[in-house]
Amino acid sequence: MPRPEVLERIKEAEQEADDIVAEAEEEREQRISDAREEAEQIRREAEAEASELHDDRLAEAREEIEAEREEILAEGEQEREALESRARENEEEVTDYVVDLFEEAVHAQT
């Protein structure tokens, strides 16, 4: 084979190799870019899921707190009613006692 042909074939082979390397570099860069985009999408989805979970837990906690608050208020209302009832039961006795004390004080002055 004449030298110019060999030289031409070598140049063509080098060009092919350069093209293959360039194509591989482009493919590598595209894969890296795709992987970064996928990772970013996964991160956004994870953040959204975490935020939703946080909101759900917060809502549950608020519901529990409200239920406990209602229970405490109901217990307090029952205790108040019981105290009022006992106070009404003792009202006549206390009134009689106060009147007796007053009468004693009046008699003591006379």
Side-chain angles (χ1 to χ4, degrees):
M1 204 184 283
R3 285 186 177 216
E5 286 178 24
V6 171
L7 187 56
E8 186 60 35
R9 289 189 71 193
I10 290 173
K11 286 182 180 180
E12 287 175 5
E14 285 178 344
Q15 184 59 47
E16 263 185 64
D18 288 345
D19 290 346
I20 290 170
V21 169
E23 187 178 313
E25 281 291 321
E26 286 178 22
E27 187 175 327
R28 180 181 72 91
E29 291 300 320
Q30 185 60 46
R31 285 184 179 181
I32 289 172
S33 176
D34 292 346
R36 284 184 178 143
E37 287 176 17
E38 184 177 352
E40 180 62 22
Q41 178 64 29
I42 290 169
R43 185 191 61 77
R44 283 194 303 267
E45 289 172 0
E47 283 179 351
E49 187 177 324
S51 177
E52 184 178 337
L53 182 60
H54 173 265
D55 292 346
D56 290 346
R57 286 186 178 171
L58 185 59
E60 287 175 11
R62 285 183 175 151
E63 288 175 10
E64 288 175 12
I65 289 169
E66 183 60 25
E68 187 174 338
R69 176 185 168 276
E70 292 298 324
E71 185 178 322
I72 290 170
L73 288 174
E75 289 173 3
E77 180 67 19
Q78 289 174 350
E79 287 179 29
R80 183 189 60 80
E81 289 173 0
L83 285 172
E84 284 180 355
S85 176
R86 279 188 277 158
R88 275 189 234 104
E89 290 172 3
N90 294 331
E91 187 174 342
E92 187 176 325
E93 187 178 316
V94 169
T95 303
D96 290 342
Y97 178 72
V98 170
V99 169
D100 288 343
L101 285 178
F102 178 74
E103 288 175 352
E104 286 177 16
V106 168
H107 290 308
Q109 289 179 353
T110 56

